[in-house]
């Protein structure tokens, strides 16, 4: 086994915890790392999520060296730019207008830290929205759901009817592809056993 104790999920996201629970992966909650999540200078936009996940893991792991620490980050990309978490109603409304009737990319980076080493991978999905009317957007923003979410929407929530196609893993869009978590746990196990 890669760890004698459950994973330590260092994230404030209830969605990531729910995904691990649904997948039957044993974990405990830890404090989210207090880091600057501004996209690092010189990192390509499609690598920002992985870079931030690794940074979070490197920050959290020394505080709990006895545990396998799990961190993640998700970015929504459109026209070569990152759509971050909306700042306010106007920002959320503008984001959804931009996403309306178009395909965007969602990249989630996952990092596990164990005994001074970080194991990481990322996954990408493509999501297409139907054309959204102004009342559609206004009603959705009024629910408050867009806030705190990259791109200003929750595919597993009220934005589900907006999606006409998904190319990839819905867990990547929600924020934590559990098959990647399992693969990284196997990477750690292989390191411990020397690949045997």
């Amino acid at each position: 086994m890669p760890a004698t104790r459950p994973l330590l999920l260092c994230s404030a996201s209830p969605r990531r915890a729910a995904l691990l629970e649904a997948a039957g992966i044993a974990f405990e909650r830890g404090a989210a790392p207090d880091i600057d999540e501004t996209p690092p200078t010189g990192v390509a936009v499609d690598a920002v999520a992985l870079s931030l996940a690794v940074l979070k893991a490197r920050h959290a792991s020394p505080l709990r060296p006895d545990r396998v620490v799990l961190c993640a980050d998700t970015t929504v990309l459109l026209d070569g730019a990152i759509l971050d978490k909306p700042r306010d109603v106007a920002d959320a409304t503008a984001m959804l207008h931009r996403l309306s009737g178009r395909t965007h990319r969602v990249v989630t980076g996952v990092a596990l830290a164990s005994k001074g080493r970080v194991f990481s991978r990322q996954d990408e999905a493509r999501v297409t929205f139907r054309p959204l009317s102004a009342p559609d957007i206004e009603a959705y923003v009024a629910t408050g759901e867009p806030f705190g979410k990259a791109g200003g929407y929750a595919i597993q929530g009220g934005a589900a009817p907006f999606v006409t196609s998904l190319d990839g893993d819905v867990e990547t869009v929600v924020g934590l592809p559990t098959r990647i978590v399992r693969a990284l746990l196997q990477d750690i196990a292989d390191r411990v056993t020397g690949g045997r």
Side-chain angles (χ1 to χ4, degrees), residues 62-136:
L63 304 176
R64 298 301 302 270
D66 58 322
R67 305 297 294 274
V68 176
V69 168
L70 167 61
C71 295
D73 192 83
T74 300
T75 55
V76 172
L77 309 175
L78 183 70
D79 297 330
I82 294 174
L83 298 185
D84 209 342
K85 298 169 185 175
R87 299 180 299 275
D88 52 30
V89 167
D91 195 27
T93 301
M95 277 188 194
L96 290 164
H97 275 292
R98 289 182 64 189
L99 294 171
S100 173
R102 301 191 61 195
T103 299
H104 59 275
R105 301 162 60 203
V106 182
V107 179
T108 291
V110 182
L112 266 61
S114 174
K115 302 186 187 308
R117 288 195 59 183
V118 177
F119 300 78
S120 62
R121 297 188 189 187
Q122 72 175 34
D123 195 54
E124 178 177 325
R126 292 178 181 266
V127 182
T128 303
F129 274 15
R130 65 172 172 81
L132 306 177
S133 68
D136 285 336

Side-chain angles (χ1 to χ4, degrees), residues 19 106 123 125 155-156 166-177:
L19 287 169
V106 182
D123 195 54
I155 195 170
Q156 76 282 13
L166 168 64
D167 180 10
D169 189 340
V170 68
E171 291 188 341
T172 296
V173 184
V174 176
L176 187 64

Side-chain angles (χ1 to χ4, degrees), residues 2-68:
T4 57
R5 299 174 68 184
L7 280 174
L8 191 66
L9 173 65
C10 293
S11 171
S13 169
R15 299 170 298 281
R16 291 187 175 121
L19 287 169
L20 288 174
E21 188 173 340
I25 298 174
F27 74 100
E28 294 173 354
R29 298 296 295 268
D34 183 16
I35 66 161
D36 178 5
E37 295 192 35
T38 303
T41 303
V43 176
V45 292
D46 56 358
V48 165
L50 185 62
S51 177
L52 289 175
V54 168
L55 182 63
K56 290 175 185 179
R58 285 183 175 150
H59 187 276
S61 185
L63 304 176
R64 298 301 302 270
D66 58 322
R67 305 297 294 274
V68 176

